Amino acid sequence: MKAALFLEPGAPLSLEAVELLPLRANDVRVRITATSLCHTDVAIRSGEQTYGTPIVMGHEACGVVEAVGAAVQGIQVDDRVISSTAPSCGHCENCTGGRPHVCVLSGSVRSVPRARRTNGDIATGLFGLGTFADEMIVDQASVVPVRTALPDSWLALIGCGVTTGLSAVLNRVALPLGGAIAVIGCGTVGLAAIQGARIAGAATIIGIDPREARRDQARELGASAVFDSARGDVAEAVQEMTKGGVDAVIDAVGIPATVKQAFALTRRSGEIVIVGMPPRDGHYDLEAWPFFLSEKRISSALFGSANIRRDFPRFVRMAESGRLDLKSLVTRTIKLDDINAGLDALARGDVLRAVVLPD
């Protein structure tokens, strides 16, 4: 089968033939029907984020189950499934304790050998997945069956970006009904957060992004106001508009500058949730005394702190009912052979989500 592999930082992904390794007892084999390109893929290809080599890239996908291992439960051949970057076994202390997004399998699934190259080298799958391929073999904890007629290209987005933004609002933020929220970064994650704020009943939803097209889309999806993050007075304008700041900020960028901006946007006793991936060597620097006096809460939310067994089907139902708009987030469809051009376009900001569809 064909797959796109990361071999060295700064180089294009390598499109080559690989052989999937044998199915293990807890594994499922999935034929990929759609996989989306994410900024994490861009960061790994450039070397900004490191996960070793060689890796079958890709982590945001949906597909159809082709085979199941002897110990697999709750998943059958021909099931339609969505991949998850955060596996959930369902029975470890974290899963049963309400923290399935930090399941004990989160680290171990990433190191499992999954494919053999023609030169004999063994490759893992990104986040235990490896969706930039015709097929993948993954642990059953990394996929969720869904029953729906929604298009594959829409469902793929639930596997990472949409869930990260939507879940951060619906599962993590203590947003009062009729409250005010700001979202920094209006890419796929941020736009999903804006939709989550609309669904949650926020009265004031502010989108902040340097790109005019992204700000326009934020308005279309529920933002009541938008600001250009390149402006020097965004915090002052938001403070004046909301009479003291927003109740919560979702930082979909995660760099030190945006966290500092988020602090300035938030009212006293407000909340900041960081969902954007920071640089590995980054540091957040806040003045201690203002932080102490403000009683503001700052936290991160890996994968939006999602519960994939509960949330994936719930988000599918939201899309089916029209409350969640997935269609507008898919701005380009490509073939696997065009994967590097698609990642280039994503890096430039030319697309929100480019989705790879099979030949």
Side-chain angles (χ1 to χ4, degrees):
M1 71 164 202
K2 184 163 59 177
L5 277 73
F6 170 73
L7 301 180
E8 60 178 309
L13 300 186
S14 175
L15 284 158
E16 53 188 73
V18 300
E19 175 190 4
L20 287 176
L21 298 179
L23 202 71
R24 304 181 310 165
N26 290 315
D27 288 343
V28 296
R29 184 169 182 147
V30 179
R31 173 172 51 85
I32 306 299
T33 55
T35 179
S36 178
L37 280 58
C38 172
H39 279 283
T40 300
D41 302 311
V42 173
I44 293 172
R45 188 184 65 158
S46 69
E48 181 183 345
Q49 299 288 340
T50 56
Y51 287 93
T53 60
I55 303 174
V56 179
M57 289 289 287
H59 60 281
E60 188 174 275
C62 70
V64 176
V65 175
E66 298 280 290
V68 299
V72 171
Q73 296 181 342
I75 301 174
Q76 300 177 343
V77 171
D78 293 331
D79 276 352
R80 206 170 178 205
V81 294
I82 299 175
S83 67
S84 171
T85 59
S88 173
C89 69
H91 54 260
C92 72
E93 183 177 354
N94 286 333
C95 285
T96 58
R99 303 176 299 277
H101 59 290
V102 287
C103 170
V104 296
L105 292 181
S106 296
S108 61
V109 299
R110 301 183 181 200
S111 60
V112 176
R114 287 304 185 189
R116 180 181 288 108
R117 302 174 66 202
T118 55
N119 66 0
D121 287 350
I122 300 300
T124 58
L126 182 61
F127 302 139
L129 298 168
T131 64
F132 291 170
D134 297 326
E135 296 184 348
M136 65 179 179
I137 291 180
V138 301
D139 192 286
Q140 63 179 335
S142 294
V143 292
V144 177
V146 293
R147 295 184 180 274
T148 180
L150 292 177
D152 296 320
S153 59
W154 299 11
L155 291 179
L157 306 188
I158 294 174
C160 179
V162 164
T163 291
T164 298
L166 198 58
S167 178
V169 175
L170 299 181
N171 293 332
R172 278 294 304 276
V173 171
L175 184 66
L177 186 66
I181 187 170
V183 177
I184 301 176
C186 296
T188 300
V189 173
L191 292 173
I194 285 170
Q195 294 195 67
R198 170 176 48 77
I199 292 168
T204 303
I205 305 171
I206 299 168
I208 301 171
D209 196 281
R211 299 182 180 91
E212 184 178 5
R214 299 285 173 87
R215 297 195 299 272
D216 290 344
Q217 192 154 15
R219 281 191 181 278
E220 292 172 5
L221 293 176
S224 52
V226 295
F227 291 94
D228 182 350
S229 55
R231 284 179 46 178
D233 61 345
V234 172
E236 294 176 18
V238 170
Q239 288 277 348
E240 181 178 352
M241 184 178 113
T242 57
K243 295 180 173 56
V246 296
D247 299 294
V249 176
I250 299 294
D251 184 353
V253 182
I255 62 175
T258 56
V259 172
K260 187 173 183 178
Q261 182 181 55
F263 190 85
L265 296 171
T266 315
R267 70 173 73 251
R268 291 190 70 177
S269 298
E271 184 175 11
I272 299 159
V273 178
I274 305 165
V275 298
M277 186 179 294
R280 289 282 180 119
D281 58 351
H283 296 274
Y284 297 139
D285 184 15
L286 296 172
E287 293 183 58
W289 190 242
F291 174 66
F292 174 75
L293 291 178
S294 71
E295 233 187 21
K296 296 179 185 181
R297 301 178 303 282
I298 303 176
S299 64
S300 63
L302 292 170
F303 198 41
S305 300
N307 180 335
I308 61 174
R309 310 285 164 203
R310 177 197 66 197
D311 291 340
F312 281 12
R314 180 167 66 155
F315 297 161
V316 166
R317 292 193 297 271
M318 288 179 182
E320 289 174 331
S321 69
R323 298 186 72 196
L324 173 62
D325 182 355
L326 298 175
K327 181 180 180 180
S328 66
L329 302 178
V330 180
T331 49
R332 186 177 300 178
T333 58
I334 62 175
K335 300 301 181 185
L336 187 57
D337 287 342
D338 302 318
I339 192 72
N340 284 296
L343 290 171
D344 291 341
L346 185 62
R348 292 191 301 267
D350 295 345
V351 295
L352 274 172
R353 278 295 193 262
V355 177
V356 178
L357 298 178
D359 293 330

